[in-house]
Amino acid sequence: MASWNSIPLEILYEIVGWIAFASWSISFYPQIVLNFRRKSVVGLNFDFAMLNLTKHSSYMIYNVSLYFSPVIQKQYFDTYGDKEMIPVAANDVAFSLHAVVMTAATLFQIFIYERGPQKISKLATGIVVAVWAFAAICFFIALPTQSWLWLISLFNSIQVAMTCVKYIPQAKMNFTRKSTVGWSIGNILLDFGGGVANYLQMVVQSIDQHSWVNFYGNLGKTLLSLITIFFDIIFMLQHYVLYPEKEASKSLESGQESNEPLI
């Protein structure tokens, strides 16, 4: 297994990694707090929340497996060379575990708070069922040959695919409503910071190792950062440029009044 060539770069790698962890981890709280204060999830797209849980669950399986399993690590070194470093850091594991808990908490809020007429779509439900059915089939394919690196790489691909898909329902909903009320911009700003820091962490490692293998050795982490940044820019444009909260705040207040029990 490769070691660091530069102590300052190793320290910078850890610092940037934990900045990404902190930004992404804290990013879950603004939406949860907003839902709690309003006692409403109107403005939050339910398909986004459901797809997000599948995404983070897949990412957790990949990170935990590669970070803790000596068998999978050996398969990784056999594939990419024993001079390379494992492309999963401790902050990746901590983030993904925390993310699953927070996304599950958000889904729980959807069931207990005022949600209006919105429901989880059949398309989103179908995608989630299909993804986990596919993962189960792949597990039994990998079992006879113990192809665990191949299997967790599929989970990594699943989380990338979910990252591409999950933001679309929320962006479409904001466009349809011409408003981002109920959708926390704090979540987006922190998410954006985490994406930039995550990408920078991989750059630091590549500079130290004089190799860019970790970018395609952990393609999921690379694409995760780039896709996150792309959609966060879209959401920031929607919030600050296309649908600024001027009259929206008034509609939010009236929305809160409508949250009283119907009976």
Side-chain angles (χ1 to χ4, degrees), residues 1-66:
M1 180 177 176
S3 59
W4 285 89
N5 298 311
S6 169
I7 299 300
L9 286 178
E10 181 180 8
I11 295 173
L12 179 60
Y13 174 85
E14 293 295 334
I15 292 174
V16 172
W18 286 107
I19 289 174
F21 163 74
S23 296
W24 271 343
S25 297
I26 297 171
S27 72
F28 292 100
Y29 290 92
Q31 186 66 56
I32 290 176
V33 171
L34 179 64
N35 296 341
F36 174 76
R37 287 178 175 174
R38 299 171 64 216
K39 297 296 185 291
S40 170
V41 291
V42 175
L44 170 65
N45 188 274
F46 299 169
D47 290 356
F48 164 78
M50 187 173 184
L51 294 171
N52 203 26
L53 180 59
T54 298
K55 180 265 180 193
H56 285 300
S57 298
S58 302
Y59 193 45
M60 178 193 68
I61 291 171
Y62 173 81
N63 284 331
V64 171
S65 299
L66 185 53

Side-chain angles (χ1 to χ4, degrees), residues 103-152:
T103 49
T106 303
L107 273 175
F108 178 70
Q109 287 184 318
I110 288 175
F111 288 102
I112 65 173
Y113 290 149
E114 169 62 34
R115 56 184 177 271
Q118 186 187 175
K119 297 179 180 179
I120 296 175
S121 72
K122 293 181 179 179
L123 177 59
T125 303
I127 291 174
V128 170
V129 171
V131 163
W132 289 112
F134 172 73
I137 292 171
C138 290
F139 171 80
F140 288 107
I141 293 175
L143 188 59
T145 56
Q146 306 288 295
S147 302
W148 304 126
L149 180 63
W150 170 78
L151 179 63
I152 67 165

Side-chain angles (χ1 to χ4, degrees), residues 44 116 182 189 192 224 231 254 257 263:
L44 170 65
L189 297 176
F192 179 80
L224 171 65
F231 276 102
S254 61
E257 293 175 1
I263 299 178

Side-chain angles (χ1 to χ4, degrees), residues 23-24 27 48 163 166-168 170-171 174 180 183-197 224-240:
S23 296
W24 271 343
S27 72
F48 164 78
T163 301
K166 71 172 187 175
Y167 291 110
I168 295 175
Q170 185 67 58
N174 293 345
T180 58
W183 171 241
S184 175
I185 191 60
N187 164 33
I188 299 307
L189 297 176
L190 288 164
D191 197 42
F192 179 80
V196 172
L224 171 65
S225 298
L226 296 178
I227 295 169
T228 296
I229 291 170
F230 172 75
F231 276 102
D232 285 341
I233 290 174
I234 291 178
F235 287 126
M236 285 188 281
L237 286 173
Q238 285 184 324
H239 183 82
Y240 291 113

Side-chain angles (χ1 to χ4, degrees), residues 173-223:
M173 183 178 179
N174 293 345
F175 172 77
T176 302
R177 297 171 67 229
K178 298 296 186 290
S179 171
T180 58
V181 173
W183 171 241
S184 175
I185 191 60
N187 164 33
I188 299 307
L189 297 176
L190 288 164
D191 197 42
F192 179 80
V196 172
N198 188 60
Y199 192 79
L200 180 59
Q201 185 187 36
M202 300 188 73
V203 171
V204 170
Q205 182 178 333
S206 294
I207 292 173
D208 179 83
Q209 298 295 304
H210 307 291
S211 169
W212 299 96
V213 169
N214 67 308
F215 275 89
Y216 56 84
N218 189 359
L219 188 60
K221 187 174 180 179
T222 305
L223 294 177

